[in-house]
Amino acid sequence: QEQLVESGGGLVQPGASLRLSCAASGQTFSSRSMGWFRQAPGKEREFVAAIGWGGTHTIYKDDLKGRFSASRDNADNTLYLTMSGLKPEDTAVYYCAADASPFKALPSTTSREYAYWGQGTQVTVSS
């Protein structure tokens, strides 16, 4: 079982960069695909990015490609989301999640595939 804790959110101006972290405390982090999702006020949770258990495969929401980058440090049990060129529409609570099944060939973009979730970290982009 994984326990996940996000950090790194905050209030930033448009165009700024931010790096979110997700610390995992379970024993199986390095065997699971990890995902980032976000939920803006009044909207449904949406997929942002995912990274395979080995760190080789990454998938992004189409309109975030080039601005967002997911990475992981399996030795440190930490997942990252580096965001650049932030826009007001990026304002949301950002969640990290661990896949229910270990050693998947490719990471999933579907939230129901993820069994473990963090509590979320707020990112607000405003001038």
Side-chain angles (χ1 to χ4, degrees):
Q1 184 168 345
E2 295 293 330
Q3 291 187 331
L4 307 174
V5 179
E6 302 94 338
S7 61
L11 171 63
V12 296
Q13 292 188 339
S17 297
L18 205 58
R19 189 178 79 162
L20 306 182
S21 299
C22 172
S25 60
Q27 301 299 314
T28 61
F29 173 83
S30 62
S31 67
R32 298 183 188 273
S33 297
M34 298 294 295
W36 285 100
F37 294 79
R38 67 185 183 184
Q39 187 167 18
K43 296 187 177 181
E44 293 188 351
R45 187 175 299 186
E46 66 174 359
F47 169 76
V48 172
I51 184 168
W53 59 273
T56 301
H57 298 287
T58 52
I59 302 174
Y60 298 95
K61 185 176 183 285
D62 283 346
D63 61 355
L64 299 179
K65 291 178 182 177
R67 291 199 300 123
F68 285 24
S69 177
S71 59
R72 65 190 298 164
D73 183 342
N74 283 347
D76 201 31
N77 277 11
T78 305
L79 172 72
Y80 300 100
L81 182 68
T82 303
M83 306 180 291
S84 61
L86 283 164
K87 305 174 181 180
E89 51 263 43
D90 294 319
T91 295
V93 177
Y94 284 72
Y95 300 90
C96 65
D99 200 292
S101 301
F103 300 118
K104 276 187 174 176
L106 292 173
S108 174
T109 63
T110 306
S111 61
R112 63 177 177 268
E113 299 290 326
Y114 292 84
Y116 310 105
W117 292 80
Q119 83 290 346
T121 186
Q122 176 71 47
V123 173
T124 303
V125 184
S126 175
S127 56

